[in-house]
Amino acid sequence: GHYQLNPLPGYLVRDEQPESLPEPERCSRLFGRLLGMAVAHESPIGLALVPSLCKQLIGGVADFEDLQYLPSLNDGGSGWYKSLRNMLVNRSPGLIKDDPAVPCMDTEEVEQALAGLEAVMPSRAQQVFESLASFVGTAAHSPLSWESAVNVATALLRKAKIQEKRDLILGKTRDLLRVVSLGTPGAAASLDNPCPEFGCSTGCPPADAALPLLRGLRELQEAINIAGQFGDVYECRELIRRLVDERGEEDPGVSSPERKKARTSSTRGPDTLEEKSSREALDGDSPFEHSSSCVFSSPDSGDGGAAELTAEGLSAFAEAVVQKALVGNLQPRLSIICKEFRSIVPRDVLEDLSWQNIQERISGKRLNSTDFVKEWRAKTTHSPAEDETTELWWSFVSERSAEGLQRLFAWCTGFASIPATAWKFQIKVVEDAGGCPTVNTCMTDDPSHANRGIKMPTMYLPAYSSGLILAKKMEWALAGASGLTLC
Protein backbone atom coordinates (compact mmCIF):
# COMPACT_ATOMS: atom_id res chain seq x y z
CA GLY A 1 0.00 0.00 0.00
CA HIS A 2 0.85 3.70 -0.14
CA TYR A 3 0.97 6.27 2.62
CA GLN A 4 -1.05 9.50 2.50
CA LEU A 5 -1.38 12.38 4.95
CA ASN A 6 -4.26 12.15 7.38
CA PRO A 7 -6.75 15.01 6.80
CA LEU A 8 -7.79 14.85 10.48
CA PRO A 9 -5.01 13.56 12.78
CA GLY A 10 -6.43 11.94 15.90
CA TYR A 11 -9.88 11.52 14.32
CA LEU A 12 -10.86 8.65 16.62
CA VAL A 13 -9.62 10.18 19.88
CA ARG A 14 -9.96 13.95 19.47
CA ASP A 15 -13.29 14.00 21.33
CA GLU A 16 -12.43 11.58 24.15
CA GLN A 17 -8.68 12.24 24.58
CA PRO A 18 -7.84 15.67 23.15
CA GLU A 19 -4.74 15.88 25.33
CA SER A 20 -3.23 12.89 23.50
CA LEU A 21 -3.11 14.69 20.14
CA PRO A 22 0.36 15.74 18.95
CA GLU A 23 1.12 19.32 17.93
CA PRO A 24 0.30 19.17 14.19
CA GLU A 25 2.56 22.04 13.09
CA ARG A 26 5.64 20.73 14.87
CA CYS A 27 4.98 17.18 13.67
CA SER A 28 4.52 18.41 10.09
CA ARG A 29 7.79 20.34 10.19
CA LEU A 30 9.64 17.30 11.53
CA PHE A 31 8.09 15.00 8.93
CA GLY A 32 8.99 17.38 6.09
CA ARG A 33 12.60 17.50 7.26
CA LEU A 34 12.72 13.73 7.66
CA LEU A 35 11.57 13.28 4.06
CA GLY A 36 14.12 15.84 2.92
CA MET A 37 16.95 14.04 4.72
CA ALA A 38 15.90 10.72 3.16
CA VAL A 39 16.15 12.24 -0.33
CA ALA A 40 19.21 14.45 0.18
CA HIS A 41 21.25 11.74 1.89
CA GLU A 42 19.89 8.85 -0.19
CA SER A 43 18.75 6.99 2.94
CA PRO A 44 15.30 5.40 2.40
CA ILE A 45 12.92 5.25 5.34
CA GLY A 46 10.62 2.57 3.89
CA LEU A 47 7.51 4.73 3.35
CA ALA A 48 5.91 4.41 -0.09
CA LEU A 49 4.17 7.78 -0.39
CA VAL A 50 1.23 8.31 -2.74
CA PRO A 51 2.18 9.92 -6.08
CA SER A 52 0.20 13.11 -5.34
CA LEU A 53 2.29 13.84 -2.25
CA CYS A 54 5.56 13.13 -4.08
CA LYS A 55 4.53 15.49 -6.88
CA GLN A 56 3.67 18.29 -4.48
CA LEU A 57 6.93 17.89 -2.55
CA ILE A 58 8.80 19.06 -5.66
CA GLY A 59 6.25 21.72 -6.62
CA GLY A 60 4.19 19.57 -8.96
CA VAL A 61 0.41 19.28 -9.25
CA ALA A 62 -1.80 16.32 -8.34
CA ASP A 63 -3.96 14.95 -11.15
CA PHE A 64 -7.15 12.92 -11.44
CA GLU A 65 -5.45 9.50 -11.58
CA ASP A 66 -3.97 10.17 -8.12
CA LEU A 67 -7.44 9.70 -6.62
CA GLN A 68 -7.08 5.93 -7.09
CA TYR A 69 -4.59 5.80 -4.21
CA LEU A 70 -7.09 7.12 -1.66
CA PRO A 71 -9.04 4.26 -0.01
CA SER A 72 -11.89 6.65 0.77
CA LEU A 73 -12.37 7.50 -2.90
CA ASN A 74 -11.52 4.18 -4.52
CA ASP A 75 -13.02 1.23 -2.69
CA GLY A 76 -12.24 -1.64 -5.04
CA GLY A 77 -14.36 -1.27 -8.16
CA SER A 78 -16.56 1.43 -6.64
CA GLY A 79 -16.22 4.89 -5.17
CA TRP A 80 -15.68 8.39 -6.48
CA TYR A 81 -12.63 7.63 -8.63
CA LYS A 82 -14.12 4.72 -10.54
CA SER A 83 -17.51 6.36 -10.98
CA LEU A 84 -16.09 9.63 -12.31
CA ARG A 85 -13.60 7.85 -14.54
CA ASN A 86 -16.28 5.67 -16.14
CA MET A 87 -18.30 8.76 -17.06
CA LEU A 88 -15.40 10.96 -18.20
CA VAL A 89 -13.11 8.57 -20.06
CA ASN A 90 -13.03 9.36 -23.79
CA ARG A 91 -15.06 12.52 -23.06
CA SER A 92 -12.53 14.67 -21.20
CA PRO A 93 -9.02 14.11 -22.64
CA GLY A 94 -7.61 17.05 -20.74
CA LEU A 95 -8.42 15.32 -17.46
CA ILE A 96 -8.36 11.59 -18.24
CA LYS A 97 -6.32 9.89 -20.94
CA ASP A 98 -8.51 8.33 -23.63
CA ASP A 99 -8.88 4.55 -23.37
CA PRO A 100 -10.19 2.77 -26.50
CA ALA A 101 -10.91 -0.34 -24.42
CA VAL A 102 -13.53 1.49 -22.35
CA PRO A 103 -16.88 2.35 -23.98
CA CYS A 104 -17.68 6.03 -24.08
CA MET A 105 -20.91 7.01 -22.34
CA ASP A 106 -23.09 9.43 -24.25
CA THR A 107 -24.50 12.55 -22.65
CA GLU A 108 -27.91 11.01 -21.98
CA GLU A 109 -26.37 8.05 -20.11
CA VAL A 110 -24.24 10.38 -17.99
CA GLU A 111 -27.25 12.56 -17.15
CA GLN A 112 -29.22 9.48 -16.06
CA ALA A 113 -26.35 8.35 -13.81
CA LEU A 114 -26.12 11.80 -12.24
CA ALA A 115 -29.84 12.28 -11.69
CA GLY A 116 -30.51 13.62 -8.21
CA LEU A 117 -26.84 13.86 -7.18
CA GLU A 118 -25.43 17.10 -5.83
CA ALA A 119 -21.99 18.60 -6.47
CA VAL A 120 -20.76 18.06 -2.90
CA MET A 121 -17.05 17.79 -2.14
CA PRO A 122 -15.60 15.00 0.06
CA SER A 123 -15.10 16.34 3.58
CA ARG A 124 -12.06 15.70 5.77
CA ALA A 125 -14.09 13.58 8.18
CA GLN A 126 -15.57 11.55 5.32
CA GLN A 127 -12.13 10.80 3.89
CA VAL A 128 -10.79 9.62 7.21
CA PHE A 129 -13.86 7.57 8.13
CA GLU A 130 -13.98 5.71 4.84
CA SER A 131 -10.20 5.15 4.81
CA LEU A 132 -10.37 3.60 8.29
CA ALA A 133 -13.36 1.50 7.23
CA SER A 134 -11.32 0.27 4.26
CA PHE A 135 -8.53 -0.71 6.66
CA VAL A 136 -10.96 -2.85 8.66
CA GLY A 137 -11.98 -4.73 5.51
CA THR A 138 -8.48 -5.26 4.12
CA ALA A 139 -7.11 -6.29 7.53
CA ALA A 140 -9.05 -9.54 7.10
CA HIS A 141 -6.17 -10.75 4.91
CA SER A 142 -3.46 -9.69 7.40
CA PRO A 143 -3.76 -11.73 10.64
CA LEU A 144 -1.33 -9.48 12.48
CA SER A 145 -3.78 -6.60 12.00
CA TRP A 146 -6.91 -8.37 13.26
CA GLU A 147 -6.84 -7.04 16.80
CA SER A 148 -6.27 -3.42 15.78
CA ALA A 149 -8.94 -3.75 13.08
CA VAL A 150 -11.50 -4.89 15.68
CA ASN A 151 -10.63 -1.86 17.83
CA VAL A 152 -10.95 0.51 14.86
CA ALA A 153 -14.30 -1.04 13.88
CA THR A 154 -15.59 -0.49 17.41
CA ALA A 155 -14.47 3.14 17.42
CA LEU A 156 -16.02 3.83 13.99
CA LEU A 157 -19.35 2.26 14.95
CA ARG A 158 -19.50 4.51 17.98
CA LYS A 159 -18.56 7.56 15.93
CA ALA A 160 -21.02 6.92 13.09
CA LYS A 161 -24.10 9.13 13.52
CA ILE A 162 -25.98 8.14 10.38
CA GLN A 163 -27.15 4.72 9.22
CA GLU A 164 -25.23 4.91 5.96
CA LYS A 165 -21.92 5.08 7.81
CA ARG A 166 -22.97 2.31 10.19
CA ASP A 167 -23.82 0.07 7.25
CA LEU A 168 -20.44 0.78 5.66
CA ILE A 169 -18.41 -0.20 8.72
CA LEU A 170 -20.71 -3.14 9.52
CA GLY A 171 -20.04 -4.56 6.05
CA LYS A 172 -16.29 -4.27 6.56
CA THR A 173 -16.58 -5.75 10.07
CA ARG A 174 -18.51 -8.69 8.65
CA ASP A 175 -15.71 -9.37 6.13
CA LEU A 176 -13.15 -9.24 8.94
CA LEU A 177 -15.07 -11.51 11.31
CA ARG A 178 -15.71 -14.10 8.60
CA VAL A 179 -11.99 -14.66 8.20
CA VAL A 180 -11.16 -14.37 11.91
CA SER A 181 -13.73 -17.07 12.69
CA LEU A 182 -11.77 -19.48 10.47
CA GLY A 183 -8.68 -19.01 12.62
CA THR A 184 -10.23 -20.12 15.92
CA PRO A 185 -10.29 -23.59 17.51
CA GLY A 186 -12.39 -26.08 15.56
CA ALA A 187 -11.95 -24.24 12.27
CA ALA A 188 -10.31 -25.87 9.28
CA ALA A 189 -7.82 -23.08 8.60
CA SER A 190 -4.38 -22.95 10.15
CA LEU A 191 -0.92 -21.70 9.24
CA ASP A 192 -0.57 -24.70 6.89
CA ASN A 193 -4.11 -24.30 5.53
CA PRO A 194 -4.78 -20.79 4.16
CA CYS A 195 -8.26 -19.38 3.59
CA PRO A 196 -8.55 -19.28 -0.22
CA GLU A 197 -12.23 -18.38 -0.01
CA PHE A 198 -11.32 -14.97 1.38
CA GLY A 199 -7.93 -14.55 -0.29
CA CYS A 200 -5.91 -14.90 2.94
CA SER A 201 -2.63 -15.80 1.22
CA THR A 202 -0.57 -15.85 4.43
CA GLY A 203 -2.91 -18.33 6.13
CA CYS A 204 -4.77 -17.87 9.38
CA PRO A 205 -2.83 -18.08 12.64
CA PRO A 206 -3.31 -20.88 15.16
CA ALA A 207 -5.93 -20.49 17.87
CA ASP A 208 -3.64 -18.79 20.38
CA ALA A 209 -2.84 -16.00 17.91
CA ALA A 210 -6.51 -15.01 17.81
CA LEU A 211 -6.99 -14.97 21.59
CA PRO A 212 -6.18 -11.25 22.05
CA LEU A 213 -9.15 -10.49 19.79
CA LEU A 214 -11.50 -11.73 22.49
CA ARG A 215 -10.63 -8.75 24.65
CA GLY A 216 -12.08 -6.42 22.04
CA LEU A 217 -15.17 -8.45 21.20
CA ARG A 218 -17.19 -7.26 24.18
CA GLU A 219 -16.83 -3.61 23.17
CA LEU A 220 -17.40 -4.46 19.52
CA GLN A 221 -20.62 -6.30 20.41
CA GLU A 222 -21.87 -3.33 22.42
CA ALA A 223 -21.17 -1.02 19.49
CA ILE A 224 -22.95 -3.38 17.08
CA ASN A 225 -26.03 -3.47 19.30
CA ILE A 226 -26.69 0.22 18.62
CA ALA A 227 -26.02 0.00 14.89
CA GLY A 228 -29.53 -1.07 13.87
CA GLN A 229 -31.64 -4.18 13.49
CA PHE A 230 -31.15 -5.24 9.89
CA GLY A 231 -28.50 -5.98 7.29
CA ASP A 232 -25.08 -7.14 8.48
CA VAL A 233 -25.86 -6.70 12.19
CA TYR A 234 -27.22 -10.23 12.52
CA GLU A 235 -24.30 -11.91 10.77
CA CYS A 236 -21.77 -9.92 12.81
CA ARG A 237 -23.49 -11.00 16.03
CA GLU A 238 -23.50 -14.62 14.91
CA LEU A 239 -19.79 -14.54 13.99
CA ILE A 240 -18.89 -13.03 17.35
CA ARG A 241 -20.96 -15.69 19.09
CA ARG A 242 -19.00 -18.40 17.28
CA LEU A 243 -15.66 -16.85 18.16
CA VAL A 244 -16.54 -16.65 21.84
CA ASP A 245 -18.46 -19.91 22.16
CA GLU A 246 -15.56 -21.91 20.72
CA ARG A 247 -13.55 -20.61 23.66
CA GLY A 248 -16.23 -21.94 26.01
CA GLU A 249 -17.22 -18.44 27.17
CA GLU A 250 -20.43 -16.44 27.32
CA ASP A 251 -21.24 -14.28 24.32
CA PRO A 252 -19.93 -10.85 25.45
CA GLY A 253 -22.61 -8.28 26.10
CA VAL A 254 -25.44 -10.39 24.68
CA SER A 255 -28.35 -11.63 26.78
CA SER A 256 -29.85 -15.10 26.32
CA PRO A 257 -32.81 -13.92 24.16
CA GLU A 258 -30.47 -11.90 21.96
CA ARG A 259 -28.10 -14.86 21.67
CA LYS A 260 -30.96 -17.10 20.59
CA LYS A 261 -32.00 -14.51 18.03
CA ALA A 262 -28.42 -14.28 16.72
CA ARG A 263 -28.19 -18.08 16.36
CA THR A 264 -31.29 -18.19 14.17
CA SER A 265 -30.61 -15.00 12.21
CA SER A 266 -28.78 -16.70 9.37
CA THR A 267 -31.91 -18.75 8.56
CA ARG A 268 -34.59 -16.28 9.55
CA GLY A 269 -36.01 -15.97 6.04
CA PRO A 270 -36.19 -12.99 3.65
CA ASP A 271 -36.00 -9.38 4.75
CA THR A 272 -39.22 -7.54 5.44
CA LEU A 273 -40.31 -5.02 2.81
CA GLU A 274 -39.10 -2.18 5.03
CA GLU A 275 -35.67 -3.77 5.50
CA LYS A 276 -35.35 -4.61 1.82
CA SER A 277 -36.30 -1.08 0.77
CA SER A 278 -33.80 0.42 3.18
CA ARG A 279 -31.00 -1.79 1.92
CA GLU A 280 -31.76 -1.15 -1.75
CA ALA A 281 -31.84 2.59 -1.12
CA LEU A 282 -28.36 2.40 0.36
CA ASP A 283 -26.84 -0.13 -2.05
CA GLY A 284 -28.20 1.39 -5.26
CA ASP A 285 -28.83 -0.31 -8.58
CA SER A 286 -26.69 1.94 -10.76
CA PRO A 287 -23.03 1.05 -11.45
CA PHE A 288 -22.23 4.63 -10.45
CA GLU A 289 -23.96 4.51 -7.06
CA HIS A 290 -22.39 2.83 -4.06
CA SER A 291 -23.28 3.13 -0.42
CA SER A 292 -19.66 3.67 0.65
CA SER A 293 -19.81 7.36 -0.17
CA CYS A 294 -23.08 7.98 -2.09
CA VAL A 295 -20.68 8.64 -4.96
CA PHE A 296 -21.00 12.41 -5.21
CA SER A 297 -22.84 13.44 -2.08
CA SER A 298 -22.24 13.17 1.63
CA PRO A 299 -25.25 13.71 3.92
CA ASP A 300 -23.11 15.07 6.76
CA SER A 301 -20.55 17.02 4.75
CA GLY A 302 -21.91 20.35 5.88
CA ASP A 303 -22.06 21.73 2.35
CA GLY A 304 -25.81 21.64 1.90
CA GLY A 305 -27.46 23.47 -0.94
CA ALA A 306 -24.99 22.38 -3.60
CA ALA A 307 -26.09 22.49 -7.23
CA GLU A 308 -27.08 19.28 -8.99
CA LEU A 309 -24.44 17.57 -11.08
CA THR A 310 -24.76 17.65 -14.86
CA ALA A 311 -22.82 16.06 -17.71
CA GLU A 312 -21.69 19.51 -18.85
CA GLY A 313 -20.12 20.42 -15.53
CA LEU A 314 -18.77 16.99 -14.62
CA SER A 315 -15.17 17.64 -15.75
CA ALA A 316 -14.96 20.81 -13.67
CA PHE A 317 -16.44 18.95 -10.71
CA ALA A 318 -13.85 16.16 -11.04
CA GLU A 319 -11.04 18.72 -11.05
CA ALA A 320 -12.53 20.31 -7.94
CA VAL A 321 -12.66 16.91 -6.21
CA VAL A 322 -8.95 16.41 -6.95
CA GLN A 323 -8.08 19.79 -5.42
CA LYS A 324 -10.32 19.24 -2.41
CA ALA A 325 -9.26 15.67 -1.58
CA LEU A 326 -5.55 15.88 -2.42
CA VAL A 327 -4.77 19.50 -1.52
CA GLY A 328 -7.43 21.44 0.39
CA ASN A 329 -8.30 18.73 2.92
CA LEU A 330 -4.61 18.29 3.79
CA GLN A 331 -3.90 21.93 4.59
CA PRO A 332 -2.14 23.52 6.38
CA ARG A 333 0.00 20.44 7.11
CA LEU A 334 0.72 19.76 3.43
CA SER A 335 2.20 23.23 2.84
CA ILE A 336 4.33 23.00 5.99
CA ILE A 337 5.72 19.61 4.99
CA CYS A 338 6.54 20.75 1.44
CA LYS A 339 8.25 23.92 2.71
CA GLU A 340 10.44 22.03 5.18
CA PHE A 341 11.25 19.37 2.58
CA ARG A 342 12.49 21.96 0.10
CA SER A 343 14.53 23.68 2.78
CA ILE A 344 16.53 20.46 3.25
CA VAL A 345 16.96 19.19 -0.32
CA PRO A 346 19.31 21.36 -2.43
CA ARG A 347 17.59 23.10 -5.32
CA ASP A 348 19.90 21.61 -7.95
CA VAL A 349 19.08 18.11 -6.66
CA LEU A 350 15.33 18.79 -6.82
CA GLU A 351 15.57 20.02 -10.38
CA ASP A 352 17.07 16.70 -11.51
CA LEU A 353 14.50 14.49 -9.79
CA SER A 354 11.06 13.38 -10.96
CA TRP A 355 8.30 12.51 -8.53
CA GLN A 356 9.06 8.85 -9.22
CA ASN A 357 12.66 9.44 -8.12
CA ILE A 358 11.40 11.13 -4.95
CA GLN A 359 9.11 8.19 -4.20
CA GLU A 360 11.93 5.67 -4.69
CA ARG A 361 14.45 7.60 -2.62
CA ILE A 362 12.03 7.82 0.30
CA SER A 363 10.67 4.27 0.15
CA GLY A 364 13.58 2.31 -1.27
CA LYS A 365 13.04 -0.69 -3.52
CA ARG A 366 9.96 -2.76 -2.73
CA LEU A 367 11.07 -6.38 -3.06
CA ASN A 368 9.92 -9.74 -1.77
CA SER A 369 12.20 -11.54 0.68
CA THR A 370 13.96 -13.68 -1.95
CA ASP A 371 14.76 -10.76 -4.25
CA PHE A 372 15.68 -8.64 -1.23
CA VAL A 373 18.41 -11.10 -0.20
CA LYS A 374 19.65 -11.41 -3.81
CA GLU A 375 19.93 -7.63 -4.13
CA TRP A 376 21.70 -7.31 -0.78
CA ARG A 377 24.14 -10.08 -1.64
CA ALA A 378 24.86 -8.60 -5.07
CA LYS A 379 25.90 -5.32 -3.43
CA THR A 380 28.22 -7.07 -0.94
CA THR A 381 32.01 -7.38 -1.14
CA HIS A 382 34.37 -9.51 0.99
CA SER A 383 37.74 -11.22 0.76
CA PRO A 384 37.72 -14.61 -1.07
CA ALA A 385 39.53 -16.10 1.94
CA GLU A 386 36.45 -15.35 4.03
CA ASP A 387 34.01 -17.38 1.92
CA GLU A 388 33.21 -19.97 4.60
CA THR A 389 32.22 -17.36 7.20
CA THR A 390 30.26 -15.22 4.75
CA GLU A 391 28.35 -18.26 3.45
CA LEU A 392 27.37 -18.97 7.04
CA TRP A 393 26.12 -15.38 7.23
CA TRP A 394 24.00 -15.56 4.07
CA SER A 395 22.51 -18.84 5.21
CA PHE A 396 21.45 -17.08 8.41
CA VAL A 397 20.04 -14.12 6.45
CA SER A 398 18.02 -16.34 4.11
CA GLU A 399 16.25 -17.99 7.06
CA ARG A 400 14.81 -14.73 8.38
CA SER A 401 11.14 -13.85 8.09
CA ALA A 402 10.19 -10.76 6.08
CA GLU A 403 9.93 -8.69 9.27
CA GLY A 404 13.15 -10.13 10.68
CA LEU A 405 14.94 -9.46 7.41
CA GLN A 406 13.92 -5.78 7.44
CA ARG A 407 15.11 -5.40 11.01
CA LEU A 408 18.42 -7.14 10.29
CA PHE A 409 19.05 -5.02 7.17
CA ALA A 410 18.34 -1.82 9.09
CA TRP A 411 20.84 -2.85 11.77
CA CYS A 412 23.52 -3.72 9.20
CA THR A 413 23.16 -0.71 6.93
CA GLY A 414 21.12 2.05 8.58
CA PHE A 415 18.68 1.83 5.64
CA ALA A 416 15.01 0.95 6.22
CA SER A 417 14.92 -0.76 2.82
CA ILE A 418 17.09 -1.38 -0.25
CA PRO A 419 18.10 2.08 -1.60
CA ALA A 420 17.13 3.02 -5.13
CA THR A 421 20.43 4.89 -5.48
CA ALA A 422 24.02 3.61 -5.56
CA TRP A 423 25.22 1.80 -2.44
CA LYS A 424 27.47 -1.04 -1.33
CA PHE A 425 27.87 -3.37 1.63
CA GLN A 426 31.10 -4.81 2.96
CA ILE A 427 31.78 -7.77 5.25
CA LYS A 428 35.08 -8.00 7.10
CA VAL A 429 35.73 -11.21 9.01
CA VAL A 430 37.49 -10.82 12.37
CA GLU A 431 39.03 -13.50 14.59
CA ASP A 432 37.24 -12.64 17.86
CA ALA A 433 34.73 -15.49 17.88
CA GLY A 434 33.65 -14.62 21.41
CA GLY A 435 32.23 -11.22 20.50
CA CYS A 436 29.12 -10.09 18.64
CA PRO A 437 29.05 -8.74 15.09
CA THR A 438 29.45 -4.95 14.86
CA VAL A 439 28.75 -2.43 12.10
CA ASN A 440 29.93 0.94 10.88
CA THR A 441 27.19 2.62 8.85
CA CYS A 442 29.22 5.77 8.13
CA MET A 443 31.70 4.15 5.73
CA THR A 444 31.95 4.84 1.99
CA ASP A 445 34.07 3.28 -0.73
CA ASP A 446 36.36 6.33 -0.63
CA PRO A 447 39.60 5.14 1.08
CA SER A 448 40.73 8.70 1.79
CA HIS A 449 40.04 10.63 4.96
CA ALA A 450 37.37 12.63 3.05
CA ASN A 451 35.11 9.53 3.02
CA ARG A 452 32.90 11.03 0.28
CA GLY A 453 32.35 8.06 -1.98
CA ILE A 454 29.40 5.74 -2.40
CA LYS A 455 27.85 4.69 0.89
CA MET A 456 29.26 1.34 2.00
CA PRO A 457 28.10 0.21 5.47
CA THR A 458 30.58 -2.30 6.82
CA MET A 459 29.97 -5.27 9.12
CA TYR A 460 32.73 -6.83 11.22
CA LEU A 461 31.75 -10.49 11.44
CA PRO A 462 33.52 -12.86 13.86
CA ALA A 463 34.51 -16.25 12.40
CA TYR A 464 31.93 -18.38 14.20
CA SER A 465 32.12 -22.16 14.01
CA SER A 466 28.38 -22.76 13.49
CA GLY A 467 25.12 -21.17 12.47
CA LEU A 468 23.69 -21.66 15.97
CA ILE A 469 26.42 -19.52 17.49
CA LEU A 470 25.96 -16.86 14.82
CA ALA A 471 22.19 -16.78 15.44
CA LYS A 472 22.67 -16.37 19.21
CA LYS A 473 25.27 -13.62 18.82
CA MET A 474 23.08 -11.75 16.34
CA GLU A 475 20.15 -12.04 18.74
CA TRP A 476 22.25 -10.29 21.40
CA ALA A 477 23.47 -7.64 18.95
CA LEU A 478 19.93 -6.82 17.75
CA ALA A 479 18.61 -6.77 21.32
CA GLY A 480 21.25 -4.22 22.29
CA ALA A 481 20.43 -2.06 19.28
CA SER A 482 16.71 -2.25 20.04
CA GLY A 483 17.37 -1.09 23.59
CA LEU A 484 18.99 2.00 22.13
CA THR A 485 16.18 2.40 19.55
CA LEU A 486 18.59 1.86 16.67
CA CYS A 487 16.51 -0.71 14.80
Side-chain angles (χ1 to χ4, degrees):
H2 291 76
Y3 290 87
Q4 171 64 294
L5 295 181
N6 187 344
L8 279 178
Y11 173 74
L12 293 179
V13 299
R14 62 174 53 247
D15 296 330
E16 295 80 8
Q17 306 173 36
E19 70 283 353
S20 66
L21 296 177
E23 299 181 40
E25 183 174 348
R26 292 184 62 184
C27 290
S28 298
R29 292 177 62 189
L30 174 62
F31 186 54
R33 293 175 183 179
L34 178 63
L35 297 179
M37 295 288 284
V39 171
H41 296 279
E42 301 179 1
S43 298
I45 58 177
L47 295 180
L49 302 181
V50 292
S52 58
L53 180 53
C54 295
K55 293 173 184 177
Q56 293 173 87
L57 285 174
I58 58 176
V61 178
D63 59 42
F64 178 82
E65 293 299 331
D66 295 330
L67 292 177
Q68 66 184 291
Y69 296 98
L70 299 187
S72 58
L73 301 184
N74 186 29
D75 187 6
S78 62
W80 296 57
Y81 167 75
K82 191 68 174 180
S83 298
L84 285 168
R85 195 178 193 284
N86 285 343
M87 287 184 278
L88 289 173
V89 69
N90 300 320
R91 291 172 54 90
S92 184
L95 185 66
I96 300 173
K97 186 177 180 180
D98 286 348
D99 186 352
V102 179
C104 178
M105 295 178 64
D106 59 36
T107 301
E108 184 178 352
E109 290 177 312
V110 174
E111 291 289 3
Q112 290 177 354
L114 296 176
L117 297 176
E118 295 182 340
V120 178
M121 297 289 105
S123 68
R124 296 173 190 256
Q126 179 184 356
Q127 278 188 245
V128 177
F129 188 96
E130 295 185 11
S131 293
L132 290 173
S134 177
F135 162 72
V136 172
T138 56
H141 313 306
S142 177
L144 294 178
S145 301
W146 285 355
E147 185 177 1
S148 59
V150 165
N151 294 334
V152 170
T154 301
L156 290 178
L157 279 169
R158 289 174 173 169
K159 205 167 186 70
K161 303 302 181 184
I162 60 174
Q163 192 62 43
E164 181 192 355
K165 285 188 174 181
R166 291 171 184 158
D167 288 337
L168 169 62
I169 188 57
L170 279 170
K172 302 297 184 180
T173 302
R174 174 206 60 205
D175 295 341
L176 172 66
L177 292 175
R178 281 178 176 175
V179 177
V180 174
S181 67
L182 297 179
T184 57
S190 68
L191 284 174
D192 300 321
N193 184 17
C195 309
E197 181 180 356
F198 301 106
C200 188
S201 58
T202 59
C204 293
D208 289 346
L211 292 181
L213 288 168
L214 297 175
R215 295 196 301 266
L217 288 178
R218 182 179 298 276
E219 292 186 0
L220 177 58
Q221 179 65 59
E222 292 173 354
I224 287 175
N225 286 340
I226 67 172
Q229 297 298 323
F230 62 88
D232 295 315
V233 169
Y234 297 103
E235 185 175 355
C236 287
R237 285 176 176 169
E238 172 67 10
L239 289 168
I240 291 177
R241 183 194 65 77
R242 290 182 198 169
L243 284 166
V244 177
D245 282 1
E246 288 184 349
R247 292 295 304 157
E249 301 176 21
E250 282 294 304
D251 195 350
V254 183
S255 63
S256 297
E258 288 175 322
R259 184 155 52 248
K260 181 178 180 181
K261 182 178 180 180
R263 288 193 176 107
T264 60
S265 61
S266 60
T267 58
R268 65 189 181 92
D271 290 339
T272 64
L273 179 60
E274 180 182 359
E275 292 171 344
K276 184 177 180 181
S277 299
S278 298
R279 296 191 65 180
E280 288 179 349
L282 291 170
D283 292 340
D285 296 322
S286 166
F288 312 108
E289 294 186 39
H290 301 275
S291 60
S292 61
S293 61
C294 286
V295 186
F296 305 129
S297 62
S298 174
D300 63 338
S301 65
D303 295 325
E308 287 193 3
L309 281 170
T310 63
E312 183 180 358
L314 192 58
S315 293
F317 174 75
E319 292 176 355
V321 169
V322 172
Q323 288 301 307
K324 179 80 162 104
L326 301 178
V327 183
N329 284 352
L330 305 180
Q331 298 295 357
R333 297 172 61 234
L334 176 61
S335 294
I336 295 173
I337 291 170
C338 292
K339 178 181 178 181
E340 295 297 329
F341 175 84
R342 294 170 200 159
S343 71
I344 296 295
V345 183
R347 181 173 298 180
D348 59 331
V349 174
L350 280 179
E351 292 175 351
D352 294 334
L353 296 177
S354 65
W355 71 262
Q356 291 93 338
N357 298 143
I358 296 293
Q359 188 181 57
E360 285 187 340
R361 286 203 180 194
I362 293 173
S363 70
K365 294 184 178 180
R366 309 179 72 189
L367 306 172
N368 59 44
S369 295
T370 301
D371 292 337
F372 192 104
V373 174
K374 287 181 180 178
E375 178 86 4
W376 188 359
R377 191 164 185 169
K379 295 291 184 179
T380 302
T381 59
H382 67 275
S383 169
E386 302 166 345
D387 282 349
E388 183 177 351
T389 301
T390 54
E391 283 302 317
L392 195 66
W393 164 256
W394 290 117
S395 177
F396 168 78
V397 171
S398 300
E399 294 171 353
R400 301 307 96 195
S401 65
E403 183 179 356
L405 184 60
Q406 291 287 118
R407 184 176 177 223
L408 180 63
F409 183 75
W411 180 83
C412 290
T413 65
F415 303 135
S417 58
I418 298 286
T421 53
W423 70 287
K424 298 178 180 180
F425 183 67
Q426 182 177 222
I427 297 178
K428 288 189 174 182
V429 176
V430 296
E431 297 301 324
D432 181 19
C436 293
T438 59
V439 293
N440 183 343
T441 58
C442 299
M443 298 279 288
T444 72
D445 64 354
D446 180 2
S448 71
H449 293 295
N451 195 32
R452 293 182 177 176
I454 295 174
K455 288 188 176 184
M456 186 174 67
T458 300
M459 179 174 64
Y460 301 92
L461 180 65
Y464 300 121
S465 59
S466 72
L468 289 177
I469 296 176
L470 170 59
K472 177 57 68 175
K473 296 293 185 178
M474 276 307 308
E475 181 182 347
W476 292 348
L478 290 171
S482 297
L484 295 173
T485 320
L486 298 178
C487 66

